[in-house]
């Protein structure tokens, strides 16, 4: 899992509001697929962590204006979600933590998953 520019290029830093992608790759993609859920954006500090749930237990975006829905690239089999760079008041660094389900082939959506 890594944060990349919209063209897929690696990044070292970003400006607030810059469009980015959170990308999840499961290897080998010819055999396995992945499904992301329970994604949290949090500060990297050990004390006073700030957290924001961006993807719920079904893999749905909690607030698409902050973090978009996951999409799968059928060619590369990678999962990506668009978001604009943001930060918490107490820290300039953010990390994402997600639960990734790995499946043979393509993962089926969670039961009860609904898009509005």
């Amino acid at each position: 899992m890594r944060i990349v520019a919209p063209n897929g290029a690696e990044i070292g830093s970003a400006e607030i509001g810059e469009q980015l992608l959170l990308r999840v790759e499961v290897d080998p993609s010819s055999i396995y697929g992945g499904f992301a859920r329970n994604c949290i954006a949090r500060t990297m500090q050990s004390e006073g962590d700030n957290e924001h749930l961006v993807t719920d237990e079904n893999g749905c975006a909690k607030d698409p204006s902050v973090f978009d829905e996951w999409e799968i690239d059928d060619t590369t089999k990678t999962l990506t979600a668009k978001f604009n760079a943001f930060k918490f008041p107490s820290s300039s660094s953010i990390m994402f933590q997600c639960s990734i389900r790995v499946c043979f082939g393509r993962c089926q959506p969670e039961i009860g998953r609904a898009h509005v």
Side-chain angles (χ1 to χ4, degrees):
M1 185 167 69
R2 57 192 166 147
I3 299 171
V4 298
N7 66 1
E10 297 289 326
I11 62 163
S13 63
E15 297 292 323
I16 300 294
E18 184 178 345
Q19 188 175 37
L20 301 170
L21 298 175
L22 183 58
R23 176 185 283 173
V24 174
E25 300 169 356
V26 179
D27 286 324
S29 63
S30 60
I31 298 172
Y32 300 110
F35 182 79
R37 58 184 174 187
N38 293 322
C39 295
I40 299 170
R42 64 176 359 139
T43 61
M44 296 177 71
Q45 299 166 289
S46 60
E47 294 180 21
D49 276 356
N50 287 308
E51 298 185 344
H52 182 70
L53 183 67
V54 295
T55 302
D56 68 15
E57 64 277 358
N58 295 318
C60 298
K62 294 291 289 176
D63 182 354
S65 67
V66 173
F67 191 90
D68 212 349
E69 297 289 349
W70 288 100
E71 296 178 6
I72 187 162
D73 181 314
D74 288 325
T75 305
T76 64
K77 307 295 188 227
T78 58
L79 292 170
T80 57
K82 296 176 190 170
F83 70 98
N84 291 330
F86 62 93
K87 71 181 228 59
F88 292 103
S90 64
S91 176
S92 60
S93 298
I94 291 180
M95 69 176 196
F96 288 94
Q97 179 180 341
C98 299
S99 297
I100 308 296
R101 186 177 75 183
V102 177
C103 314
F104 283 107
R106 187 175 180 154
C107 293
Q108 296 300 314
E110 292 291 308
I111 295 173
R113 182 174 175 169
H115 293 279
V116 179

